[in-house]
Structure formats: C-alpha cells, structure tokens
Amino acid sequence: MSTHDDGRNGPGTPSGPSVNANANVNAGTGADTDTDSITVEALGSLSKALETVERARGHLYGFHQLTGTADFELDRAVELLRAAGHHAWADRVETEILGRNVIPDHWTYQIVDAYNETYYEPFRTLERAAVSALAGGREHRFEARLKAERCKTDRPQEPDTAE
C-alpha cells in the first residue's frame, strides 16, 4: 500500500489517516511503538513530499530527453527540406531552432543540473537526516503502522519482503 493517493494532496489539507501510536507489532509489518505517531506522520509527509519531488525530477529528465530527441530530429527535417528543394525553410530551421537554448543561455541539461543541485539534493539530504535523527534511520514507519492497522489476520498473508 502507498500513501501517495491518501487524500493528503495539498497545502492546508487536513492530516492523513490517524495512526495508532500503540499499534501492535505484527510479524512482518515493521511497525514499532518507539516513535510517537505525530513524528511518524510528519516523517511520512516529508517522505511523501520527497517522493513527489522524485516524480517531478523524472518529468524534468523526460523534458530533457524529449527536447534533445526533437532537436536531433530537426537534422532529418533540414535534410529532407533541402532534398525537396526548400532551402530557405531548411536554413530557417537550422538557424532559428536547431540547437537553440530552451530558456535564455540554458540547454535542458543545465536546467536539470540546477534543479538537482539547488533543490533536489538539499531536499533529499534533509529528508534522510530527519529520518535518521527522528526515526533511527528506519524509513516508511508511517506505512508500516498503516500495514499493522490494516492487515487482516483472517486471510493468508503475502510473503513479506520488507525489513
């Protein structure tokens, strides 16, 4: 189960599902009682935000790759325009669009690099430091507590792959 789509989607949204601070430790759930429920929920929100940033970063890489692919396809367009006798149009594509900056003085790789250095890496570092300091380095405690609460004991359990 993931907490990505649990209704906590924006600023000002009330906190997610209440998690019992004294959840029983089920075999394989990873749930614990040594971290208070508000801290667990806060770390869950921090991790969810980082996971969302990971997705945004993936879209940024997609933007980078798609823009590069389009730019290389322009070589083919220029070649075909010339072969068809449309030299003026080929020249325009070649001089006005091919290899152009996507924003002033920046190609897409520079945007990706700046995002990683300015936002992603500091966010990732802070999230890991918070999990280390407040939860002994154990990730996904919020989800582990949800699993402990939601796991049905009257049905066969799947093999647990989590610690």
Side-chain angles (χ1 to χ4, degrees):
M1 164 155 284
S2 171
T3 58
H4 287 293
D5 300 314
D6 63 3
R8 295 180 297 149
N9 293 324
T13 303
S15 64
S18 174
V19 177
N20 179 358
N22 298 313
N24 292 329
V25 176
N26 269 344
T29 65
D32 62 72
T33 58
D34 61 340
T35 305
D36 70 271
S37 64
I38 296 172
T39 300
V40 168
E41 192 165 344
L43 290 174
S45 289
L46 184 61
S47 294
K48 180 181 176 181
L50 178 60
E51 291 169 3
T52 303
V53 166
E54 294 276 6
R55 291 177 62 198
R57 184 171 175 247
H59 289 294
L60 194 55
Y61 275 93
F63 159 73
H64 163 63
Q65 292 171 348
L66 289 170
T67 302
T69 299
D71 196 65
F72 281 112
E73 187 63 25
L74 290 175
D75 291 329
R76 178 170 159 70
V78 167
E79 178 185 319
L80 291 171
L81 285 167
R82 288 197 200 292
H86 305 293
H87 297 283
W89 283 108
D91 290 345
R92 283 194 67 188
V93 170
E94 198 169 46
T95 59
E96 294 178 30
I97 304 298
L98 196 129
R100 185 183 182 107
N101 290 325
V102 293
I103 61 173
D105 299 322
H106 289 80
W107 270 26
T108 58
Y109 78 89
Q110 293 168 303
I111 296 168
V112 170
D113 289 350
Y115 182 85
N116 283 338
E117 184 179 324
T118 305
Y119 190 73
Y120 172 72
E121 288 297 338
F123 194 150
R124 184 171 169 245
T125 299
L126 184 144
E127 189 269 347
R128 288 188 178 192
V131 168
S132 179
L134 302 175
R138 288 195 51 218
E139 297 180 353
H140 298 109
R141 286 192 172 194
F142 182 81
E143 290 88 342
R145 288 194 181 175
L146 283 175
K147 182 178 180 183
E149 285 187 351
R150 297 177 59 81
C151 230
K152 305 294 184 220
T153 58
D154 60 343
R155 67 176 180 219
Q157 298 298 310
E158 308 84 22
D160 189 27
T161 56
E163 291 185 73

